[in-house]
Amino acid sequence: MTHRITICTSCRHKGNTCRPGYELISRLRAAIADAGDAIAEDFEVSGVACMAGCDRPCTVAYHGSRKATYLFGDIDPEVDIADLVAFARQYAVLGDGWCSSVDRPGKLRTATLARVPAAIMAIEDSGVRAS
């Protein structure tokens, strides 16, 4: 596995005890396995207790070695699976993980909470100082 998709298992919609992260993990694993291409071999899907996106449940992160990390919010396990699988395909072939919001599939264009540069990129660019 060279990539990871991490899903928050603590996220809850306000006034609700349901934690959609568990359902999302199950549905996304099944969708990736059914995709019929290399993403099933390239991606691991796992959960984590909290990613601090509580105001925008359910949160999902994409990580890859030497790649930018993405955090998406407001993900619905019943509606957004196709967009998550499409982004996995896209992310897998992005050398540094970097892409514009207009290039992301469907809802992920507007559901981005953060894009964090790869640590290796930050180290290589450490000579650049913010003013």
Side-chain angles (χ1 to χ4, degrees), residues 24 30-31 34 39 41 47 62 65 76 87 93 104 127 131:
L24 184 55
D34 292 344
I39 66 166
E41 297 165 13
Y62 284 72
S65 295
D76 185 330
F87 187 69
V93 298
R104 292 180 211 133
S131 53

Side-chain angles (χ1 to χ4, degrees), residues 54-107:
C54 304
D55 289 337
R56 307 257 320 258
C58 186
T59 55
V60 176
Y62 284 72
H63 322 268
S65 295
R66 302 175 76 95
K67 288 187 173 189
T69 294
Y70 287 85
L71 181 64
F72 299 105
D74 298 319
I75 303 302
D76 185 330
E78 295 183 21
V79 177
D80 300 321
I81 296 296
D83 289 342
L84 295 173
V85 172
F87 187 69
R89 283 189 180 106
Q90 178 183 11
Y91 187 73
V93 298
L94 294 171
D96 59 2
W98 212 256
C99 70
S100 171
S101 62
V102 297
D103 295 328
R104 292 180 211 133
K107 183 178 183 178

Side-chain angles (χ1 to χ4, degrees), residues 42-60:
D42 288 342
F43 280 86
E44 177 183 333
V45 179
S46 62
V48 67
C50 184
M51 289 195 286
C54 304
D55 289 337
R56 307 257 320 258
C58 186
T59 55
V60 176

